[in-house]
Amino acid sequence: MQELATENPGLYRNFIRIMEELFNEIVEHVTPYIKKTLTFWRRPIEPGLRVAITPCYLATGESYRSLSYQFCVAANTICSIVPEICRAIAAAYGDEVMQVPSTPEEWKEVARVVDAEYKFLYVDVGAIGSESDGGVFAKTQLGKMLDRHEAKLPAPERSPNETEDKPPVDYFFTGEDAFALKKYMMKPHPARWLTKPECIYNY
């Protein structure tokens, strides 16, 4: 891997799915969570190798058996490595890179910088694949907090360009058509036979 990183960074990124600098940072951050004890009976697989296997599996969906040939690690060992590294990454980076706002002021800050750059503030993993997005969201901790009015969203305010005679507007999330229309969740009109105002609204 070191030779590949030195001679062809593009191929290195294509193989590991992340650049060398980020890979090294991840290894450094998660090593305290995954370090194994060297014993007389076995030599543990080094943290860098265990970390390298995980993004390859997550990004490609290759089987454990296929990855076992690429990394020279037994498939039954890889099946325990991947969840272990995922848990370590979540433990090492969770509070740093992914924080759900917990006060009205923090939600307002999100509203001021919201964009389409796919920045994650909340992730929920483990739902059944056939369940709808709206159904999955409703069962998450965040979805339940919003339904119970416990998420501490800011009080309604007028939009920046609205005049005094306009009523204040609730803070809300936007979701696709699979989500239920609620006070805190706006969604587009269904995409069939739309009127011009409905098209403008969706846009």
Side-chain angles (χ1 to χ4, degrees), residues 31-50:
T31 293
Y33 297 91
I34 64 173
K35 194 172 183 180
K36 306 289 185 182
T37 303
L38 178 63
T39 69
F40 178 78
W41 300 105
R42 68 166 191 173
R43 181 178 180 181
I45 298 172
E46 62 174 306
L49 180 54
R50 284 185 280 160

Side-chain angles (χ1 to χ4, degrees), residues 118 129-137 172-182 184-191 201-202:
Y118 304 105
S130 60
E131 194 168 3
S132 71
D133 294 347
V136 170
F137 183 74
F172 57 85
F173 297 89
T174 55
E176 62 177 1
D177 190 42
F179 289 83
L181 180 64
K182 298 193 175 186
Y184 62 80
M185 179 71 71
M186 298 300 290
K187 57 182 281 185
H189 286 281
Y201 173 85
N202 283 1

Side-chain angles (χ1 to χ4, degrees), residues 34-151:
I34 64 173
K35 194 172 183 180
K36 306 289 185 182
T37 303
L38 178 63
T39 69
F40 178 78
W41 300 105
R42 68 166 191 173
R43 181 178 180 181
I45 298 172
E46 62 174 306
L49 180 54
R50 284 185 280 160
V51 171
I53 289 169
T54 303
C56 286
Y57 172 77
L58 296 175
T60 66
E62 287 195 53
S63 68
Y64 292 147
R65 183 171 298 279
S66 173
L67 291 171
S68 73
Y69 297 128
Q70 295 181 45
F71 290 97
C72 298
V73 176
N76 61 343
T77 302
I78 291 177
C79 77
S80 64
I81 286 175
V82 170
E84 175 195 28
I85 298 303
C86 288
R87 287 190 295 269
I89 290 173
Y93 284 94
D95 291 339
E96 176 185 339
V97 301
M98 199 177 307
Q99 289 187 333
V100 178
S102 58
T103 67
E105 290 71 28
E106 290 176 359
W107 281 117
K108 285 184 180 182
E109 181 59 30
V110 172
R112 281 190 287 271
V113 298
V114 68
D115 56 31
E117 294 299 323
Y118 304 105
K119 299 184 184 80
F120 288 88
L121 295 178
Y122 181 83
V123 172
D124 185 88
V125 179
I128 298 171
S130 60
E131 194 168 3
S132 71
D133 294 347
V136 170
F137 183 74
K139 293 178 181 178
T140 65
Q141 183 181 5
L142 178 60
K144 292 174 181 177
M145 289 175 66
L146 288 164
D147 275 332
R148 296 193 299 257
H149 308 288
E150 296 173 357

Side-chain angles (χ1 to χ4, degrees), residues 3-18:
E3 183 179 342
L4 188 62
T6 303
E7 296 183 2
N8 197 322
L11 282 179
Y12 177 95
R13 185 182 185 281
N14 189 48
F15 181 60
I16 301 298
R17 300 299 171 138
I18 49 180

